[in-house]
Amino acid sequence: MNNVEELPFSAPAERNKESILQVLQRLLPREARVLEIASGWGQHAQHFARRQAGWAWQPSDVDASRLPMIDTRCAGIANARPALHLDVVATPWPASISDGAPYDALLCVNMLHASPWATCPGLMRGAAAHLARGGLLILYGPYRVDGVPTVPSNEAFDADLKARDPTWGLRALADVQREAEAVGLGLREVVPMPANNLIVVFARSE
Ligand SMILES: C[S@@+](CC[C@H](N)C(=O)[O-])C[C@H]1O[C@@H](n2cnc3c(N)ncnc32)[C@H](O)[C@@H]1O
């Protein structure tokens, strides 16, 4: 896999990468160690690492067949590390995932609704173990928020997800927050994003 133009890609990632980058640039310092969970096709790793040379970017995914594609996309970007295999449900995560130095941030885009619920507590346990004190867990995706009906397009998306896999589906922000708080990650901020998505920021206590 050498020609980036011919690689498979995610259309949503192309649409959302710039708006996510703008929020990350506000949340993160110029120099930061970032672990990306569920990097998928690698478009976010490529875009974010290229635009912020001070971010040491570590992509990962459970799907080992995707790792070469991520590396091809990030080839030549000095601050992008070779993609690692990581299943967030694994307990514990392999120590090699942070190589002895905790991360300033973990980023997870569009995974929680496209995987079984067990990925949520798994992600929280791993984040608590591999984030520095005060480090951020940053989630992006569509969520159900108490008292606010989701828009019809999100309901249709939820039905489509469940048709593909009955264990998938939109998650309630309150359920995600409960799992985060159980491991010492407090809700810091919720940022409305285009197309009825949210960025949800949790922080590990100091
Ligand atoms: C909808 S894709 C999103 C990919 C990418 N973040 C993006 O926004 O383009 C969901 C990703 O979650 C990954 N995933 C699913 N279960 C996982 C797990 N248990 N641990 C880590 N990644 C997982 C899949 O392999 C897939 O790459």
PDB file of all heavy atoms in Angstrom, residues 162-182:
ATOM      1  N   LYS A 162     -27.764  -0.372  14.325  1.00  0.00           N
ATOM      2  CA  LYS A 162     -28.300  -1.579  14.963  1.00  0.00           C
ATOM      3  C   LYS A 162     -28.630  -2.654  13.931  1.00  0.00           C
ATOM      4  O   LYS A 162     -28.562  -3.854  14.240  1.00  0.00           O
ATOM      5  CB  LYS A 162     -29.526  -1.224  15.793  1.00  0.00           C
ATOM      6  CG  LYS A 162     -29.128  -0.460  17.057  1.00  0.00           C
ATOM      7  CD  LYS A 162     -30.326  -0.100  17.904  1.00  0.00           C
ATOM      8  CE  LYS A 162     -29.854   0.425  19.240  1.00  0.00           C
ATOM      9  NZ  LYS A 162     -30.590   1.614  19.676  1.00  0.00           N
ATOM     10  N   ALA A 163     -28.986  -2.225  12.715  1.00  0.00           N
ATOM     11  CA  ALA A 163     -29.249  -3.206  11.657  1.00  0.00           C
ATOM     12  C   ALA A 163     -27.941  -3.894  11.246  1.00  0.00           C
ATOM     13  O   ALA A 163     -27.918  -5.072  10.894  1.00  0.00           O
ATOM     14  CB  ALA A 163     -29.886  -2.513  10.450  1.00  0.00           C
ATOM     15  N   ARG A 164     -26.849  -3.133  11.286  1.00  0.00           N
ATOM     16  CA  ARG A 164     -25.543  -3.722  10.931  1.00  0.00           C
ATOM     17  C   ARG A 164     -25.035  -4.639  12.037  1.00  0.00           C
ATOM     18  O   ARG A 164     -24.426  -5.674  11.786  1.00  0.00           O
ATOM     19  CB  ARG A 164     -24.534  -2.601  10.662  1.00  0.00           C
ATOM     20  CG  ARG A 164     -24.812  -1.894   9.347  1.00  0.00           C
ATOM     21  CD  ARG A 164     -24.153  -0.545   9.276  1.00  0.00           C
ATOM     22  NE  ARG A 164     -22.708  -0.605   9.260  1.00  0.00           N
ATOM     23  CZ  ARG A 164     -21.928   0.477   9.330  1.00  0.00           C
ATOM     24  NH1 ARG A 164     -22.473   1.674   9.422  1.00  0.00           N
ATOM     25  NH2 ARG A 164     -20.630   0.350   9.300  1.00  0.00           N
ATOM     26  N   ASP A 165     -25.259  -4.228  13.288  1.00  0.00           N
ATOM     27  CA  ASP A 165     -24.810  -5.029  14.433  1.00  0.00           C
ATOM     28  C   ASP A 165     -25.664  -4.626  15.630  1.00  0.00           C
ATOM     29  O   ASP A 165     -25.616  -3.466  16.068  1.00  0.00           O
ATOM     30  CB  ASP A 165     -23.329  -4.760  14.717  1.00  0.00           C
ATOM     31  CG  ASP A 165     -22.776  -5.703  15.785  1.00  0.00           C
ATOM     32  OD1 ASP A 165     -23.506  -5.992  16.765  1.00  0.00           O
ATOM     33  OD2 ASP A 165     -21.634  -6.138  15.650  1.00  0.00           O
ATOM     34  N   PRO A 166     -26.444  -5.563  16.180  1.00  0.00           N
ATOM     35  CA  PRO A 166     -27.369  -5.196  17.276  1.00  0.00           C
ATOM     36  C   PRO A 166     -26.654  -4.701  18.532  1.00  0.00           C
ATOM     37  O   PRO A 166     -27.290  -4.096  19.397  1.00  0.00           O
ATOM     38  CB  PRO A 166     -28.129  -6.492  17.560  1.00  0.00           C
ATOM     39  CG  PRO A 166     -27.644  -7.515  16.608  1.00  0.00           C
ATOM     40  CD  PRO A 166     -26.571  -6.936  15.732  1.00  0.00           C
ATOM     41  N   THR A 167     -25.337  -4.930  18.652  1.00  0.00           N
ATOM     42  CA  THR A 167     -24.614  -4.442  19.837  1.00  0.00           C
ATOM     43  C   THR A 167     -24.127  -2.995  19.651  1.00  0.00           C
ATOM     44  O   THR A 167     -23.553  -2.420  20.562  1.00  0.00           O
ATOM     45  CB  THR A 167     -23.394  -5.325  20.170  1.00  0.00           C
ATOM     46  OG1 THR A 167     -22.372  -5.149  19.163  1.00  0.00           O
ATOM     47  CG2 THR A 167     -23.763  -6.793  20.251  1.00  0.00           C
ATOM     48  N   TRP A 168     -24.319  -2.438  18.439  1.00  0.00           N
ATOM     49  CA  TRP A 168     -23.892  -1.056  18.170  1.00  0.00           C
ATOM     50  C   TRP A 168     -25.071  -0.120  18.442  1.00  0.00           C
ATOM     51  O   TRP A 168     -26.191  -0.563  18.669  1.00  0.00           O
ATOM     52  CB  TRP A 168     -23.449  -0.902  16.716  1.00  0.00           C
ATOM     53  CG  TRP A 168     -22.208  -1.656  16.348  1.00  0.00           C
ATOM     54  CD1 TRP A 168     -21.549  -2.587  17.103  1.00  0.00           C
ATOM     55  CD2 TRP A 168     -21.481  -1.562  15.115  1.00  0.00           C
ATOM     56  NE1 TRP A 168     -20.458  -3.062  16.419  1.00  0.00           N
ATOM     57  CE2 TRP A 168     -20.381  -2.457  15.203  1.00  0.00           C
ATOM     58  CE3 TRP A 168     -21.632  -0.812  13.943  1.00  0.00           C
ATOM     59  CZ2 TRP A 168     -19.464  -2.610  14.154  1.00  0.00           C
ATOM     60  CZ3 TRP A 168     -20.716  -0.964  12.917  1.00  0.00           C
ATOM     61  CH2 TRP A 168     -19.649  -1.844  13.028  1.00  0.00           C
ATOM     62  N   GLY A 169     -24.821   1.166  18.406  1.00  0.00           N
ATOM     63  CA  GLY A 169     -25.894   2.145  18.550  1.00  0.00           C
ATOM     64  C   GLY A 169     -25.433   3.382  19.295  1.00  0.00           C
ATOM     65  O   GLY A 169     -24.414   3.361  19.990  1.00  0.00           O
ATOM     66  N   LEU A 170     -26.210   4.464  19.149  1.00  0.00           N
ATOM     67  CA  LEU A 170     -25.891   5.709  19.849  1.00  0.00           C
ATOM     68  C   LEU A 170     -25.834   5.469  21.352  1.00  0.00           C
ATOM     69  O   LEU A 170     -26.655   4.727  21.893  1.00  0.00           O
ATOM     70  CB  LEU A 170     -26.971   6.754  19.551  1.00  0.00           C
ATOM     71  CG  LEU A 170     -26.656   7.813  18.502  1.00  0.00           C
ATOM     72  CD1 LEU A 170     -26.319   7.191  17.166  1.00  0.00           C
ATOM     73  CD2 LEU A 170     -27.814   8.780  18.357  1.00  0.00           C
ATOM     74  N   ARG A 171     -24.896   6.094  22.025  1.00  0.00           N
ATOM     75  CA  ARG A 171     -24.758   5.964  23.481  1.00  0.00           C
ATOM     76  C   ARG A 171     -25.316   7.196  24.174  1.00  0.00           C
ATOM     77  O   ARG A 171     -25.269   8.306  23.634  1.00  0.00           O
ATOM     78  CB  ARG A 171     -23.281   5.782  23.863  1.00  0.00           C
ATOM     79  CG  ARG A 171     -22.567   4.655  23.132  1.00  0.00           C
ATOM     80  CD  ARG A 171     -23.275   3.328  23.297  1.00  0.00           C
ATOM     81  NE  ARG A 171     -22.607   2.246  22.572  1.00  0.00           N
ATOM     82  CZ  ARG A 171     -23.165   1.072  22.334  1.00  0.00           C
ATOM     83  NH1 ARG A 171     -24.398   0.802  22.732  1.00  0.00           N
ATOM     84  NH2 ARG A 171     -22.514   0.133  21.686  1.00  0.00           N
ATOM     85  N   ALA A 172     -25.799   6.977  25.407  1.00  0.00           N
ATOM     86  CA  ALA A 172     -26.270   8.095  26.222  1.00  0.00           C
ATOM     87  C   ALA A 172     -25.064   8.732  26.903  1.00  0.00           C
ATOM     88  O   ALA A 172     -24.256   8.023  27.531  1.00  0.00           O
ATOM     89  CB  ALA A 172     -27.275   7.614  27.259  1.00  0.00           C
ATOM     90  N   LEU A 173     -24.977  10.036  26.806  1.00  0.00           N
ATOM     91  CA  LEU A 173     -23.840  10.731  27.418  1.00  0.00           C
ATOM     92  C   LEU A 173     -23.778  10.445  28.917  1.00  0.00           C
ATOM     93  O   LEU A 173     -22.693  10.287  29.483  1.00  0.00           O
ATOM     94  CB  LEU A 173     -23.966  12.237  27.150  1.00  0.00           C
ATOM     95  CG  LEU A 173     -22.814  13.106  27.625  1.00  0.00           C
ATOM     96  CD1 LEU A 173     -21.480  12.609  27.102  1.00  0.00           C
ATOM     97  CD2 LEU A 173     -23.048  14.550  27.220  1.00  0.00           C
ATOM     98  N   ALA A 174     -24.939  10.323  29.567  1.00  0.00           N
ATOM     99  CA  ALA A 174     -24.952  10.054  31.017  1.00  0.00           C
ATOM    100  C   ALA A 174     -24.308   8.698  31.334  1.00  0.00           C
ATOM    101  O   ALA A 174     -23.607   8.569  32.349  1.00  0.00           O
ATOM    102  CB  ALA A 174     -26.388  10.090  31.537  1.00  0.00           C
ATOM    103  N   ASP A 175     -24.540   7.700  30.472  1.00  0.00           N
ATOM    104  CA  ASP A 175     -23.925   6.375  30.704  1.00  0.00           C
ATOM    105  C   ASP A 175     -22.414   6.446  30.525  1.00  0.00           C
ATOM    106  O   ASP A 175     -21.652   5.829  31.284  1.00  0.00           O
ATOM    107  CB  ASP A 175     -24.501   5.338  29.728  1.00  0.00           C
ATOM    108  CG  ASP A 175     -25.973   5.060  29.984  1.00  0.00           C
ATOM    109  OD1 ASP A 175     -26.448   5.347  31.096  1.00  0.00           O
ATOM    110  OD2 ASP A 175     -26.643   4.562  29.048  1.00  0.00           O
ATOM    111  N   VAL A 176     -21.984   7.182  29.512  1.00  0.00           N
ATOM    112  CA  VAL A 176     -20.541   7.330  29.258  1.00  0.00           C
ATOM    113  C   VAL A 176     -19.897   8.078  30.432  1.00  0.00           C
ATOM    114  O   VAL A 176     -18.834   7.694  30.934  1.00  0.00           O
ATOM    115  CB  VAL A 176     -20.314   8.075  27.924  1.00  0.00           C
ATOM    116  CG1 VAL A 176     -18.832   8.345  27.692  1.00  0.00           C
ATOM    117  CG2 VAL A 176     -20.907   7.269  26.759  1.00  0.00           C
ATOM    118  N   GLN A 177     -20.572   9.124  30.895  1.00  0.00           N
ATOM    119  CA  GLN A 177     -20.040   9.913  32.015  1.00  0.00           C
ATOM    120  C   GLN A 177     -19.920   9.061  33.282  1.00  0.00           C
ATOM    121  O   GLN A 177     -18.951   9.159  34.027  1.00  0.00           O
ATOM    122  CB  GLN A 177     -20.949  11.123  32.266  1.00  0.00           C
ATOM    123  CG  GLN A 177     -20.434  12.057  33.339  1.00  0.00           C
ATOM    124  CD  GLN A 177     -21.322  13.276  33.520  1.00  0.00           C
ATOM    125  OE1 GLN A 177     -22.245  13.515  32.729  1.00  0.00           O
ATOM    126  NE2 GLN A 177     -21.069  14.042  34.556  1.00  0.00           N
ATOM    127  N   ARG A 178     -20.907   8.192  33.497  1.00  0.00           N
ATOM    128  CA  ARG A 178     -20.865   7.325  34.690  1.00  0.00           C
ATOM    129  C   ARG A 178     -19.641   6.408  34.651  1.00  0.00           C
ATOM    130  O   ARG A 178     -18.939   6.240  35.657  1.00  0.00           O
ATOM    131  CB  ARG A 178     -22.156   6.506  34.766  1.00  0.00           C
ATOM    132  CG  ARG A 178     -22.329   5.780  36.101  1.00  0.00           C
ATOM    133  CD  ARG A 178     -23.634   5.018  36.182  1.00  0.00           C
ATOM    134  NE  ARG A 178     -23.805   4.094  35.074  1.00  0.00           N
ATOM    135  CZ  ARG A 178     -24.722   4.210  34.107  1.00  0.00           C
ATOM    136  NH1 ARG A 178     -25.586   5.194  34.118  1.00  0.00           N
ATOM    137  NH2 ARG A 178     -24.798   3.331  33.119  1.00  0.00           N
ATOM    138  N   GLU A 179     -19.350   5.838  33.482  1.00  0.00           N
ATOM    139  CA  GLU A 179     -18.173   4.964  33.356  1.00  0.00           C
ATOM    140  C   GLU A 179     -16.877   5.752  33.570  1.00  0.00           C
ATOM    141  O   GLU A 179     -15.921   5.250  34.159  1.00  0.00           O
ATOM    142  CB  GLU A 179     -18.147   4.292  31.971  1.00  0.00           C
ATOM    143  CG  GLU A 179     -19.296   3.352  31.695  1.00  0.00           C
ATOM    144  CD  GLU A 179     -19.286   2.110  32.584  1.00  0.00           C
ATOM    145  OE1 GLU A 179     -18.226   1.737  33.107  1.00  0.00           O
ATOM    146  OE2 GLU A 179     -20.366   1.519  32.768  1.00  0.00           O
ATOM    147  N   ALA A 180     -16.863   6.986  33.078  1.00  0.00           N
ATOM    148  CA  ALA A 180     -15.659   7.819  33.240  1.00  0.00           C
ATOM    149  C   ALA A 180     -15.441   8.149  34.721  1.00  0.00           C
ATOM    150  O   ALA A 180     -14.327   8.004  35.250  1.00  0.00           O
ATOM    151  CB  ALA A 180     -15.802   9.098  32.416  1.00  0.00           C
ATOM    152  N   GLU A 181     -16.511   8.554  35.381  1.00  0.00           N
ATOM    153  CA  GLU A 181     -16.370   8.961  36.788  1.00  0.00           C
ATOM    154  C   GLU A 181     -15.976   7.775  37.666  1.00  0.00           C
ATOM    155  O   GLU A 181     -15.282   7.946  38.676  1.00  0.00           O
ATOM    156  CB  GLU A 181     -17.659   9.617  37.264  1.00  0.00           C
ATOM    157  CG  GLU A 181     -17.838  11.001  36.628  1.00  0.00           C
ATOM    158  CD  GLU A 181     -19.183  11.652  36.911  1.00  0.00           C
ATOM    159  OE1 GLU A 181     -20.083  10.955  37.425  1.00  0.00           O
ATOM    160  OE2 GLU A 181     -19.328  12.853  36.599  1.00  0.00           O
ATOM    161  N   ALA A 182     -16.377   6.575  37.274  1.00  0.00           N
ATOM    162  CA  ALA A 182     -16.053   5.382  38.066  1.00  0.00           C
ATOM    163  C   ALA A 182     -14.547   5.141  38.140  1.00  0.00           C
ATOM    164  O   ALA A 182     -14.064   4.472  39.048  1.00  0.00           O
ATOM    165  CB  ALA A 182     -16.757   4.157  37.470  1.00  0.00           C
TER     166      ALA A 182
END
